[in-house]
Amino acid sequence: LFAAKSGGWVAKRHHECDEITFQLAVSLLGGTLFGHSPNEPPTAEEQTEGAHLMRGLADAGSPPGACAWAFLLRNGDVVEEDSAKALHYHHQAASAGYAQSMHEIGTMHYLGDGVEPDSDEAVRWFRRAAELGVSGSMYLLGECLLAGEGTKQDTASALGWFAAAGELGHCSARSRIVAEGFGGLPACIYERLEEV
């Protein structure tokens, strides 16, 4: 009984340590990760240490760490750019259910970044991430549905995904609904969208 309880305690402590390490790594990386913009830019030494911590988290199986390490590899700001490795780490995080990595995989397939462009595969990943609440994937899935790119054209579903993304604050999704017109929606809908 004690071993089972202590195993749970150890796992909880390990998870807490990973969270603190992730926060420290993000801090050290400064403006190079997830759009952070510090008042004082980090030094090259701090960025290198942040990247080292993030890689350690990724290699230890941390989904947020794998996603962030993949982001660094894909952008090449702090470490050498390597889209193939970025895709590998995003897959690692996505297989653990990490929605942001699902979105990033979809984007890589959509743009042909490190892989051959594949709109069918992009839509599959956008849908998975959208269903988990990633507004960017909701928007891009809506665009693909509207254009019939990688999926059957479906204006009504596109509108639904644009609306869902807009509810989460995605400005382009809101603008897309208004700009598209979507076949004569009642004027009151356009008026409400313009208020938002």
Side-chain angles (χ1 to χ4, degrees), residues 9-189:
W9 180 81
V10 170
K12 182 180 177 192
R13 296 294 295 163
H14 181 71
H15 178 71
E16 289 172 356
C17 183
D18 283 355
E19 287 181 11
I20 293 167
T21 303
F22 181 83
Q23 292 170 6
L24 175 60
V26 169
S27 248
L28 289 167
L29 288 162
T32 61
L33 186 65
F34 303 139
H36 292 257
S37 54
N39 294 333
E40 195 174 310
T43 65
E45 184 178 281
E46 289 170 331
Q47 289 182 324
T48 299
E49 181 62 22
H52 176 75
L53 289 172
M54 211 56 88
R55 171 131 196 213
L57 287 168
D59 289 341
S62 162
C67 180
W69 177 242
F71 184 87
L72 292 171
L73 287 167
R74 187 172 174 201
N75 288 349
D77 293 338
V78 178
V79 298
E80 186 176 336
E81 185 176 340
D82 189 332
S83 292
K85 283 185 183 176
L87 187 62
H88 165 79
Y89 281 101
H90 276 310
H91 273 287
Q92 175 184 315
S95 69
Y98 203 71
Q100 186 62 41
S101 277
M102 293 174 195
H103 172 74
E104 298 298 333
I105 293 168
T107 302
M108 291 177 82
H109 283 287
Y110 188 74
L111 299 174
D113 182 5
V115 296
E116 288 297 315
D118 184 343
S119 56
D120 292 345
E121 188 69 3
V123 165
R124 187 173 77 84
W125 286 103
F126 289 151
R127 187 175 305 279
R128 287 182 67 188
E131 289 171 352
L132 292 172
V134 178
S135 65
S137 280
M138 292 173 183
Y139 172 74
L140 290 170
L141 179 57
E143 288 289 352
C144 290
L145 285 161
L146 188 62
E149 187 176 356
T151 187
K152 182 180 173 191
Q153 197 274 337
D154 185 342
T155 303
S157 291
L159 174 61
W161 284 114
F162 288 146
E167 286 178 17
L168 293 175
H170 197 287
C171 294
S172 295
R174 292 176 180 172
S175 299
R176 192 70 164 117
I177 293 169
V178 173
E180 197 58 39
F182 284 102
L185 294 173
C188 65
I189 292 176

